[in-house]
Amino acid sequence: MQVTVLGAGSMGHGIAQVSAMAGYDVVLRDIESELVEKGLEGIRENLQGGVDRDKVTEDEMEATLGRIEGTTDLAAAVADAELVVEAVPEDMDLKQDVLSEAEAETGEETVIASNTSSLSVTEMASALDRPERVVGLHFFNPPHLMDLVEIVIAEQTDDRTEAFAIDYVREIDKEDVVVRDSAGFATSRLGLVTGLEAIRMVEEGVASPADIDEAMKLGYGYPMGPIELGDHVGLDVRLHIAEHLREELGERFKPPQALRRKVRAGNLGKKSGEGFYVWEDGERAGMSGDWGEDDA
């Protein structure tokens, strides 16, 4: 089976990697060759990290890389695909355009999936001629390390597409949960509530970001605290999702002013070098503002 991933960013190249590691032929497509190469390099780095930690063998790394092809040609990328997964930015118009363009170049049985974390899959599907083959596949960042894939069933998704999605997720050695299409699904909705409240606690001076995160890791078994997770995801992404869920579900998702100020200042988290933490070479180096040293 061929899997085509549209978008070579952190989510897109991660989805391409786990698909190739499961034995699928993969085409990774983006709009510029530099973006494609950056995505392929990200896969190489992930795999090399696995080799260095004895999680992946050299042979597995080479075999995985050999199953992945990069391109900027959309028609060629999707022509032979049995599954197309879009992993472009969280913008409804953009996603509908990409999915519609892909549908025009695919066979009638090709399943078309969105990696959206919060947008309506039903609305996306409405832009297609055959919306019954659309499904949400919400991977978690980074896809090669996170076990969960949330399968989102749109109003139009038929039984064949749902079964195909479940089989695919299990074949790539991930755990699936199936949810009906609703704002924020299950995971983004619950995770965002925790993240926004944690930011409000920082605003109110309840505790430092590091202490709040440590409390959730030690007390509730979180692998990563909610504030650090926001820095990883991107505070601009967090704000965008919060505003969307506020519109859909009400004032309990109102973004804290501290989050808005960070985004306005360009302090977006790990990708910009500073969010609620300061980041150096991809690692936490301290806390932003007046909180003092970060002992994590």
Side-chain angles (χ1 to χ4, degrees):
M1 184 173 92
Q2 178 184 307
V3 177
T4 294
V5 182
L6 305 178
S10 60
M11 294 303 299
H13 75 246
I15 295 167
Q17 177 182 331
V18 297
S19 298
M21 291 183 76
Y24 296 124
D25 293 325
V26 176
V27 179
L28 180 63
R29 187 262 178 181
D30 213 313
I31 57 175
E32 297 177 4
S33 57
E34 292 82 3
L35 297 175
V36 174
E37 184 52 45
K38 185 177 180 180
L40 293 173
E41 181 58 31
I43 294 171
R44 293 187 198 101
E45 291 176 358
N46 289 343
L47 290 168
Q48 186 60 57
V51 171
D52 294 343
R53 296 190 300 274
D54 294 324
K55 301 292 186 181
V56 178
T57 68
E58 291 277 0
D59 287 345
E60 287 171 335
M61 179 175 75
E62 293 304 320
T64 297
L65 292 172
R67 285 191 283 265
I68 303 173
E69 173 189 347
T71 186
T72 59
D73 187 331
L74 176 65
V78 304
D80 297 321
E82 294 179 56
L83 171 64
V84 175
V85 183
E86 72 77 11
V88 303
E90 289 285 274
D91 178 272
M92 178 60 73
D93 291 339
L94 175 61
K95 287 183 181 290
Q96 286 186 326
D97 288 346
V98 168
L99 294 179
S100 295
E101 291 169 5
E103 182 188 41
E105 304 292 344
T106 62
E108 292 186 357
E109 299 301 312
T110 303
V111 171
I112 298 177
S114 171
N115 180 54
T116 182
S117 60
S118 64
L119 299 179
S120 171
V121 180
T122 299
E123 185 175 348
M124 286 180 216
S126 69
L128 274 63
D129 293 331
R130 294 194 58 199
E132 70 275 5
R133 57 171 164 165
V134 177
V135 67
L137 290 175
H138 176 203
F139 286 79
F140 289 75
N141 196 16
H144 68 290
L145 296 179
M146 300 298 284
D147 290 331
L148 178 64
V149 178
E150 191 173 32
I151 300 174
V152 184
I153 306 303
E155 292 296 326
Q156 307 96 321
T157 305
D158 63 17
D159 291 342
R160 183 192 76 88
T161 301
E162 180 176 347
F164 182 101
I166 292 171
D167 287 344
Y168 163 72
V169 170
R170 294 176 182 176
E171 284 294 321
I172 62 172
D173 201 27
K174 300 296 182 184
E175 299 290 336
D176 62 274
V177 295
V178 178
V179 301
R180 296 293 161 182
D181 189 21
S182 179
F185 316 137
T187 55
S188 293
R189 187 167 170 174
L190 289 170
L192 189 65
V193 167
T194 304
L196 296 181
E197 189 60 27
I199 293 171
R200 291 189 186 97
M201 292 167 66
V202 173
E203 275 186 326
E204 295 167 6
V206 173
S208 72
D211 283 341
I212 292 170
D213 281 342
E214 195 68 6
M216 296 306 291
K217 288 192 290 184
L218 296 177
Y220 288 86
Y222 279 36
M224 181 183 296
I227 297 175
E228 183 177 0
L229 179 60
D231 268 17
H232 272 270
V233 170
L235 298 182
D236 53 336
V237 176
R238 272 263 152 120
L239 177 59
H240 178 76
I241 295 172
E243 289 177 331
H244 171 67
L245 293 187
R246 181 188 188 187
E247 181 179 340
E248 293 286 331
L249 299 172
E251 288 301 300
R252 64 189 183 277
F253 291 98
K254 180 180 178 180
Q257 284 302 309
L259 177 59
R260 293 189 186 278
R261 287 194 296 270
K262 291 286 186 184
V263 174
R264 287 170 183 158
N267 295 328
L268 308 180
K270 185 177 180 179
K271 61 186 173 184
S272 69
E274 183 176 346
F276 285 94
Y277 294 97
V278 176
W279 298 86
E280 294 179 1
D281 298 323
E283 301 294 330
R284 272 172 51 180
M287 285 182 285
S288 178
D290 300 324
W291 287 104
E293 297 297 322
D294 179 2
D295 295 328

